[in-house]
Structure formats: C-alpha cells, structure tokens
C-alpha cells in the first residue's frame, strides 16, 4: 500500500512539473501540440497518400496499361465558365471524390459520338459494385442543341457546356487527332490522368479502369 501511495505521489509531482514547464514555456507547448496534431493527420491521410503513390509513382515491373498516362501534376482541371444545359453554373470540380470518364465535343452527336457515349455507359456498368465510383461527363463545346432522345438514352450522364478554347488547350490528343476523338479519365483528386485512343478496344479500356479502381483507396 505504501508503495502504491508513493507511486501515485510521484506521478502527481511529475504531472505538476510538466504543467509548470508548459506554463513557463507556452511556445514549446504550442509546438508540441502542433506536432501531435500533424501526426494524427498523417495517420488519417496515409491510405490516400499510399494509393496516390501506387498508381502515379510506384510502377512495378511488368505492369501495363492500355490508355496513355498523363502526368497529373501538369493537368489539373482548369478554371472555366461551364454551365448545365439550362445555364446554371456547374463545374467538373463538383464531381471531385469520384473517377470521371470525360467526353468532349460539339452538340451534334453523330455516329462516332454515339459510339463514345455507348462505350462510356457500358464501361461504367461493367465495373459492377464499383460502378458508383465512376461519373460520366460530356463537355459540350458549342451552342448546338442536344438531341432529346440522346439525352434520355444516356440518362445519368452529366452534360455541361464549356468553352472550346479552354477545353482544347487542357486536353492533350494523339498526333493527327483532336480531343473530341478521345475519352479521358480524371482521378478523384481532380487531375487528368489517362487518355484512351481513338476507336479504342472496349475490353482493354474496361481492364484499365477496373485496375485503377482496385488499386485506389480513394474515389
């Protein structure tokens, strides 16, 4: 019993000394608190940081991808005055936190355009339980009215009007093509990260998207 009392008294004395030291040196106390807060934030952010490094930095030998990888550090979503079809301000950043399959081009949707819209819908559906992690967006780069039947057929896709000059400057295209010939992929952090070729192989695109969703702890 006496030993327990002695230990308790020593503990109280130590706590009093620590409180006294903190009172004497408030700067030191603040620094200590900041470091503790930083440590907690790092623990919480570790899964996100790890997944980001996995698909952007760490490239295991033998890993292949069909789509062309784009350096995300140079291609964040640019500031642009985009709106919904009825004129309400809406931006790509509002879909942050999910993967975005992006198509761009004029409102006249002919055969090539229809094939892109159909493929985007199918690639999303093929992700099964992960399909809700993917959004589809069409940036319409002119004032051409969209066909009502096309809008209904691809219900669930976000339709935004955006300035063509800004969109074309942002999106890199293969030699001899233009941005409207491609489907792009934006990561949940809002960075352009992949471009699929013109007339892509549907199975290979599906595999690329599936791999990214499996490797990523975000989105």
């Amino acid at each position: 019993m006496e030993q327990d009392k002695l230990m308790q008294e020593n503990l109280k004395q130590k706590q009093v000394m620590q409180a006294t030291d903190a009172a004497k040196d408030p700067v030191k106390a603040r620094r200590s608190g900041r470091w503790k807060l930083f440590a907690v934030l790092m623990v919480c952010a570790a899964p996100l940081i790890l997944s980001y490094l996995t698909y952007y930095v760490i490239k295991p030998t033998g890993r292949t991808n069909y789509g062309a990888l784009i350096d995300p550090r140079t291609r964040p979503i640019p500031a642009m005055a985009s709106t919904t079809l009825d004129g309400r301000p809406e931006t790509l950043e509002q879909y942050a936190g999910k993967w975005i399959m992006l198509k761009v081009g004029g409102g006249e949707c002919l055969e090539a355009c229809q094939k892109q819209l159909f493929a985007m819908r199918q690639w999303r559906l093929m992700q099964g339980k992960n399909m809700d992690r993917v959004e589809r967006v069409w940036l319409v780069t002119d004032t051409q009215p969209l066909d009502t039947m096309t809008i209904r057929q691809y219900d669930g896709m976000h339709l935004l009007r955006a300035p063509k000059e800004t969109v074309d400057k942002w999106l890199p295209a293969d030699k001899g093509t233009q941005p409207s010939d491609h489907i792009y992929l934006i990561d949940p952090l809002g960075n352009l990260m992949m471009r699929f070729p013109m007339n892509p192989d549907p199975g290979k695109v599906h595999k690329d998207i599936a791999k990214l969703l499996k490797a990523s702890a975000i989105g």
Side-chain angles (χ1 to χ4, degrees), residues 81-85 138-140 142-146 159-163:
S82 55
T83 68
T84 59
L85 296 184
W138 177 5
L139 289 183
V140 184
D142 61 16
T143 58
Q144 177 79 19
L146 269 65
L159 303 167
L160 301 179
R161 293 196 186 275

Side-chain angles (χ1 to χ4, degrees), residues 133-153:
R133 298 171 63 190
V134 181
E135 294 285 1
R136 295 168 295 144
V137 179
W138 177 5
L139 289 183
V140 184
T141 54
D142 61 16
T143 58
Q144 177 79 19
L146 269 65
D147 177 64
T148 302
M149 291 302 297
T150 298
I151 295 175
R152 291 177 179 175
Q153 187 175 1

